[in-house]
Amino acid sequence: MAGSGGLAGGAGGSQGTAGGPGTALRASRAPLLFAALVLCAYCLCALPGRCPPAGRVPAPAPARAEPPRASRSPREPGLPVASGSGRRRFPQALIVGVKKGGTRALLEFLRLHPDIRALGSEPHFFDRSLMPRTLDGQITLEKTPSYFVTREAPRRIHSMSPATKLIVVVRNPVTRAISDYAQTLSKTPGLPSFGALAFRRGLGPVDTAWSAVRIGLYAQHLDNWLRYFPLSRFLFVSGERLVSDPAGELGRVQDFLGLKRVVTDKHFYFNATKGFPCLKKAQGSGRPRCLGKSKGRPHPRVPESVVQRLQAFYRPFNRKFYQMTGQDFGWD
């Protein structure tokens, strides 16, 4: 108003110089007219229904309330409770490895347990928003076999959830390497032979830069994990016994997770075509179920001399792994 009043005064002075006394009289009445207009506006607004009283002026829309958050503890960070039963949270247990050791079979077997909710995909450094909802007393489980051999994984997982229970499915590293090669060969026909990839220049030393060989150095990978987690946080599952005695290995896993032994030998039958056990009744179905075509594929023929050289290479690593875990897996 001060700015507009200044402009009006300047205009009035100019007109008074040119228009004489009549102009000056009109200028003197301007403040009275302005006051009258303000008074009329006030009276109109004071009539019922014409202007809202001060108390009835709509308040600005409140900010959207944050959803309630579950209580958090240093060991188990919680997530907001959303609509529906249960809540999402970091997994209390992880199947961290190893590739081609039997991790998918273990995950599918554990899904039969009513107190386990498992993520089907492999998020690779888990994202809480991907986790399934769990009720109190249920365990969130996730599987990513690459964790065990990823150098940064132990530190990252420990920083997010140091109380996590860790499950490692291991298998004879020679057999595991051949299975790994078979999987790659099925996707990339025309690969060099297994022996050509396992040994430098075909006849030289073992090529530990090849991932199929490097994954089997279990002692080295475990040593990295033990920098962040005590051995008591681990359970080592035998991939061989998961085939020969699935109920026995599942019993150990359920004990480790603090769960009742619900998954037992009544849930399995041996599929001679596949060469490994299948479920008599899959979760949510009344029909038997085996793992897909990518599991149990035939291995390419590898010369016995190549197998023996690799067995000799792995032997000291295997023995160190036995000592570190307190388990003899019988690979030698």
Side-chain angles (χ1 to χ4, degrees):
M1 294 300 299
S4 61
L7 287 173
S14 174
Q15 290 173 2
T17 302
T23 303
L25 179 61
R26 286 194 297 272
S28 67
R29 292 176 180 174
L32 295 175
L33 291 173
F34 178 77
L37 288 172
V38 171
L39 181 61
C40 290
Y42 176 81
C43 293
L44 286 173
C45 286
L47 293 175
R50 299 302 298 268
C51 288
R56 294 172 56 192
V57 175
R64 297 183 66 177
E66 291 291 329
R69 292 186 177 273
S71 59
R72 297 187 177 187
S73 66
R75 288 180 170 268
E76 185 185 344
L79 283 179
V81 177
S83 58
S85 60
R87 61 181 177 132
R88 293 189 177 97
R89 48 188 162 184
F90 282 137
Q92 296 99 316
L94 295 173
I95 300 175
V96 297
V98 297
K99 178 185 178 185
K100 308 309 296 179
T103 58
R104 171 56 63 177
L106 178 61
L107 181 69
E108 294 303 317
F109 297 163
L110 285 173
R111 280 182 163 178
L112 291 176
H113 202 294
D115 291 334
I116 289 180
R117 294 298 308 280
L119 183 68
S121 60
E122 298 175 2
H124 299 273
F125 302 119
F126 46 84
D127 182 342
R128 287 180 299 180
S129 65
L130 299 177
M131 295 299 138
R133 298 183 186 279
T134 53
L135 302 173
D136 290 341
Q138 288 184 318
I139 288 177
T140 306
L141 180 68
E142 186 249 301
K143 172 192 82 82
T144 302
S146 64
Y147 286 168
F148 190 63
V149 298
T150 302
R151 188 159 188 81
E152 300 81 8
R155 177 182 56 81
R156 294 183 184 181
I157 292 172
H158 185 270
S159 67
M160 288 188 279
S161 189
T164 304
K165 293 184 176 182
L166 305 164
I167 301 172
V168 186
V169 187
V170 288
R171 183 183 183 187
N172 185 317
V174 177
T175 310
R176 197 222 65 80
I178 295 173
S179 179
D180 198 336
Y181 172 78
Q183 181 183 50
T184 306
L185 185 64
S186 69
K187 299 176 182 178
T188 314
L191 279 179
S193 68
F194 178 84
L197 293 173
F199 303 99
R200 296 173 189 169
R201 297 177 300 277
L203 298 173
V206 174
D207 189 357
T208 56
W210 185 33
S211 64
V213 169
R214 188 176 65 253
I215 290 173
L217 302 175
Y218 304 141
Q220 289 187 359
H221 303 307
L222 179 58
D223 189 58
N224 183 41
W225 281 85
L226 293 177
R227 295 170 56 198
Y228 299 90
F229 293 92
L231 191 63
S232 60
R233 307 304 304 177
F234 290 86
L235 177 70
F236 299 94
V237 175
S238 167
E240 286 82 9
R241 288 197 293 270
L242 200 57
V243 173
S244 62
D245 181 20
E249 286 300 280
L250 264 291
R252 294 179 60 240
V253 176
Q254 291 169 93
D255 292 345
F256 175 67
L257 297 176
L259 300 174
K260 182 180 178 181
R261 288 197 176 194
V262 173
V263 185
T264 64
D265 54 0
K266 69 181 180 181
H267 292 95
F268 302 100
Y269 75 96
F270 189 82
N271 187 304
T273 303
K274 284 282 189 180
F276 54 74
C278 298
L279 297 174
K280 290 181 179 178
K281 182 179 179 182
Q283 185 183 33
S285 171
R287 301 169 57 189
R289 179 175 179 271
C290 279
L291 298 178
K293 294 180 180 179
S294 64
K295 307 299 179 182
R297 61 167 62 89
H299 289 180
R301 183 183 175 279
V302 176
E304 185 62 25
S305 59
V306 171
V307 173
Q308 290 178 356
R309 285 185 65 192
L310 266 186
Q311 285 177 336
F313 165 77
Y314 279 121
R315 188 168 293 116
F317 296 99
N318 292 343
R319 290 176 178 173
K320 183 179 179 182
F321 187 65
Y322 299 168
Q323 292 173 354
M324 295 173 74
T325 61
Q327 295 178 234
D328 186 338
F329 292 89
W331 298 326
D332 300 313

